[in-house]
Amino acid sequence: MSDNATEEYDGRMLTLLQMVWGEGFLSPGGPQAVREIMSGVALEGKRVLDIGCGLGGLDQVLLTLGAAHVTGLDVAGLIVEMGQERIRRAGLANRIEIKLVEPGPLPFADNSFDIVFGKDAWLHIPDKAAHFAEIHRVLKPGGRIAAGDWMKSPGPYSRDMEYFFEMEGLTYHLVTLAEYGTLLHAAGFVDVKLEDITEIYRREAQDELARMKGELAPVMLAELGEAGNAHFLEDWRSLTVVLDKGELRPARIWATKPA
Ligand SMILES: C[S@@+](CC[C@H](N)C(=O)[O-])C[C@H]1O[C@@H](n2cnc3c(N)ncnc32)[C@H](O)[C@@H]1O
């Protein structure tokens, strides 16, 4: 694993993730996952920032839910190029802007956005206190975070978790849900609501593994070859292990910058 998380998702990984999670999606749950994060969040006419936007599939869902404009940021050049191309082809370049950024401070003025969204991307960010401080800065007063992210159980990573990270070839920086809440409060957020959805994704990941061994097997073999197919089956098996143990804990997060 590299310390530089910017270009860790290679073409093979991007192909596999979209086979399992859908075209334009690099995280689980598809459009329904975005709807669930946004239920109770007024999006009509709002300007949204999506940090770690990936290929922009979720940004298209945000538009269908009423957002006026989405700015998507990502640190991976390949992903940003592919995402920009998808959005151009969909004829949405005037409403979704995908930008390549360096990790670190956000390139926006204070009070620029109504909503900051992120889905299963902030798990790659080591300094969450600085990240939440930046989100607080660029949100308008009264603006909201609505996001999904992956957490961990308390204590050091187990060997199973380290093995899962090795299989992924990605750098994860996970904290517990309680630590996440503490960090959000420390950054100045109020109305912090955290929902652990481990049980939901635990079952979905088992279904995903079954699909990979079943209906997706021919296309996985064709696209990834024998070795790639075997690698990703083992990667997903290791994912189900850490979900079953309750050590990897997906969650939904909401928080508000005081008006
Ligand atoms: C699991 S993917 C999720 C992408 C997208 N949110 C989705 O659900 O399809 C994680 C994304 O976070 C991006 N990423 C990693 N570190 C980042 C950072 N510091 N700032 C912004 N994006 C980052 C990766 O390049 C990748 O596109």
Side-chain angles (χ1 to χ4, degrees), residues 9 25-27 52-54 58 74-76 79 103 119-121 124-125:
Y9 290 78
F25 290 82
L26 302 181
S27 68
C53 63
L58 293 84
D74 207 286
V75 295
I79 290 178
K119 176 84 175 20
D120 305 345
H124 292 307
I125 296 180

Side-chain angles (χ1 to χ4, degrees), residues 180-210:
Y180 215 87
T182 302
L183 286 161
L184 284 165
H185 281 118
F189 288 97
V190 296
D191 296 334
V192 174
K193 192 175 152 217
L194 306 165
E195 183 186 8
D196 187 314
I197 58 163
T198 308
E199 190 47 33
I200 296 171
Y201 187 52
R202 191 181 78 77
R203 281 182 270 116
E204 280 176 15
Q206 284 166 358
D207 291 347
E208 289 164 359
L209 182 57

Side-chain angles (χ1 to χ4, degrees), residues 90-208:
L92 293 170
N94 58 337
R95 298 187 61 204
I96 298 175
E97 182 189 14
I98 297 186
K99 285 163 83 101
L100 180 64
V101 294
E102 294 287 321
L106 299 171
F108 303 105
D110 298 357
N111 309 331
S112 296
F113 296 96
D114 300 293
I115 310 278
V116 173
F117 172 81
K119 176 84 175 20
D120 305 345
W122 303 351
L123 43 80
H124 292 307
I125 296 180
D127 188 347
K128 296 201 199 307
H131 174 61
F132 293 148
E134 275 296 280
I135 294 176
H136 191 275
R137 183 182 67 73
V138 302
L139 269 176
K140 296 176 187 173
R144 295 185 71 183
I145 291 179
D149 206 357
W150 286 7
M151 314 290 160
K152 69 182 208 36
S153 59
Y157 293 139
S158 70
R159 181 65 205 122
D160 288 329
M161 196 75 151
E162 280 165 2
Y163 180 66
F164 164 62
F165 295 155
E166 278 163 34
M167 284 290 105
E168 291 270 281
L170 301 174
T171 306
Y172 284 88
H173 297 279
L174 306 183
V175 299
T176 67
L177 198 57
E179 287 163 346
Y180 215 87
T182 302
L183 286 161
L184 284 165
H185 281 118
F189 288 97
V190 296
D191 296 334
V192 174
K193 192 175 152 217
L194 306 165
E195 183 186 8
D196 187 314
I197 58 163
T198 308
E199 190 47 33
I200 296 171
Y201 187 52
R202 191 181 78 77
R203 281 182 270 116
E204 280 176 15
Q206 284 166 358
D207 291 347
E208 289 164 359

